[in-house]
Amino acid sequence: MNELFLSNQNEVEVFERCFRSRIPLMIKGPTGCGKSQLVLHMASKLGLKVYSVACNEDTNAADLLGRYIIKGGETVWKDGPITQAVREGAILYLDEVAEAREDVVVAIHPLTDHRREIYLDKLSEVVKAHSNFMFVASYNPGYQRGIKQLKNSTKQRFVTIHMSYLEPDLEHILLCELTNVPKDISKKIVSIANRIRKMEEYQLSETVSTRLLVRASQLIVDGMDPRDACHISIAEPLSEDRQIVGALKDLINLAI
Ligand SMILES: Nc1ncnc2c1ncn2[C@@H]1O[C@H](COP(=O)(O)OP(=O)(O)O)[C@@H](O)[C@H]1O
Ligand SMILES: [Mg+2]
């Protein structure tokens, strides 16, 4: 796995400080700006394992804390990912925590304050976190959601870093490092991305993520025509409106 992480600001330093001071960390930022990549990078740097949990409506507290399962005709307790991370001293990464069910939010609260513990009601056991345990969560504040928003009382439990897309020079370096795309093409791709990011008239609910640019570069390195690669990696994923997709393709055709 590639744990390369490039940074606009002090994310790496803040992450390390939070780890040392046992402070839970929230990473907020748009889709594909490197939130998960930062966590993988830091896990490798700090020598910790990561338990990643994608929060959604179907995941309840028992899924994450643990439950009794039937194994070889016997009923045995199996720790869920939160409990495993807490016991072993790993990074617990709750991705898209705004999507988490209320029972999950309640279960994690005692992990995010001075207690650093969880309560397993089925076992009547309080599990104190290992000293290397670190709690990291992420959410995307710009995402157009229905009713779900992260509560202020939950937000205030975390030190928070705001990530944005890399500065053009860094994003260009990243594409070249990750995919070996020729430098002149990488520059053009980054410039297309930044033009689209600045455009408000298309009212895109999500803008061009670094992830999309990595995909376009990969296809070009595989031999695909750069325009076609950008059409399918950048223009199509961004909108369902054919006119807008057409305008994005025109912009791409002029730039590459
Ligand atoms: N700052 C960054 N440093 C390194 N890679 C990045 C960065 N931002 C984005 N990427 C690349 O884009 C992909 C998507 O990033 P990811 O961390 O999964 O985004 P997020 O979790 O914010 O949605 C990653 O797999 C990585 O290849
Ligand atoms: Mg992610």
Side-chain angles (χ1 to χ4, degrees), residues 11-255:
E11 295 97 345
V12 168
E13 178 201 330
V14 172
F15 199 113
E16 278 179 327
R17 290 190 189 284
C18 287
F19 172 67
R20 280 200 297 274
S21 300
R22 315 272 177 267
I23 296 171
L25 176 67
M26 178 74 76
I27 309 168
K28 60 177 176 176
T31 311
C33 71
K35 300 185 292 298
S36 300
Q37 195 67 24
L38 169 65
V39 175
L40 292 176
H41 174 78
M42 293 309 298
S44 145
K45 192 165 184 197
L46 298 168
L48 299 173
K49 190 172 167 184
V50 185
Y51 287 88
S52 277
V53 173
C55 299
N56 59 57
E57 292 196 349
D58 300 326
T59 308
N60 62 34
D63 296 327
L64 302 180
L65 292 176
R67 59 158 51 99
Y68 283 105
I69 57 166
I70 310 286
K71 200 175 174 188
E74 274 184 70
T75 310
V76 292
W77 174 262
K78 187 168 187 306
D79 283 342
I82 291 184
T83 310
Q84 285 178 295
V86 166
R87 285 194 209 274
E88 291 170 23
I91 295 176
L92 172 65
Y93 180 42
L94 288 196
D95 205 0
E96 288 301 338
V97 67
E99 299 290 334
R101 286 164 48 122
E102 188 57 27
D103 59 331
V104 171
V105 175
V106 169
I108 59 173
H109 266 190
L111 269 183
T112 56
D113 53 37
H114 63 281
R115 291 172 285 176
R116 281 179 47 96
E117 64 189 29
I118 45 172
Y119 179 61
L120 305 175
D121 58 354
K122 301 239 172 51
L123 300 180
S124 301
E125 182 186 351
V126 173
V127 185
K128 291 270 178 204
H130 185 288
S131 60
N132 279 348
F133 169 77
M134 178 169 182
F135 194 136
V136 183
S138 78
Y139 79 106
N140 177 350
Y143 196 66
Q144 303 291 319
R145 269 167 234 283
I147 29 172
K148 276 199 178 167
Q149 280 292 335
L150 204 55
K151 282 195 192 134
N152 284 324
S153 56
T154 304
K155 285 186 189 167
Q156 294 205 12
R157 290 173 167 270
F158 295 85
V159 158
T160 302
I161 41 185
H162 174 256
M163 282 179 61
S164 46
Y165 297 117
L166 289 170
E167 299 292 335
D169 287 351
L170 285 175
E171 204 168 38
H172 160 66
I173 292 171
L174 181 72
L175 295 184
C176 296
E177 286 278 326
L178 286 182
T179 69
N180 285 324
V181 71
K183 286 195 172 109
D184 56 325
I185 296 190
S186 157
K187 283 212 167 111
K188 287 178 183 163
I189 294 174
V190 170
S191 130
I192 290 170
N194 283 292
R195 254 186 263 174
I196 299 175
R197 285 170 187 160
K198 284 197 195 98
M199 291 192 310
E200 286 176 3
E201 63 264 39
Y202 295 143
Q203 303 194 326
L204 303 170
S205 57
E206 286 280 332
T207 188
V208 190
S209 71
T210 305
R211 181 186 287 118
L212 298 185
L213 308 186
V214 174
R215 298 268 159 79
S217 308
Q218 284 172 326
L219 293 172
I220 293 166
V221 170
D222 186 57
M224 194 169 192
D225 174 72
R227 284 186 183 175
D228 292 340
C230 291
H231 289 176
I232 62 172
S233 310
I234 300 174
E236 290 291 353
L238 284 180
S239 178
E240 295 310 329
D241 180 324
R242 297 316 301 166
Q243 269 188 330
I244 291 178
V245 173
L248 293 171
K249 288 183 178 175
D250 288 344
L251 183 153
I252 288 165
N253 294 345
L254 285 174

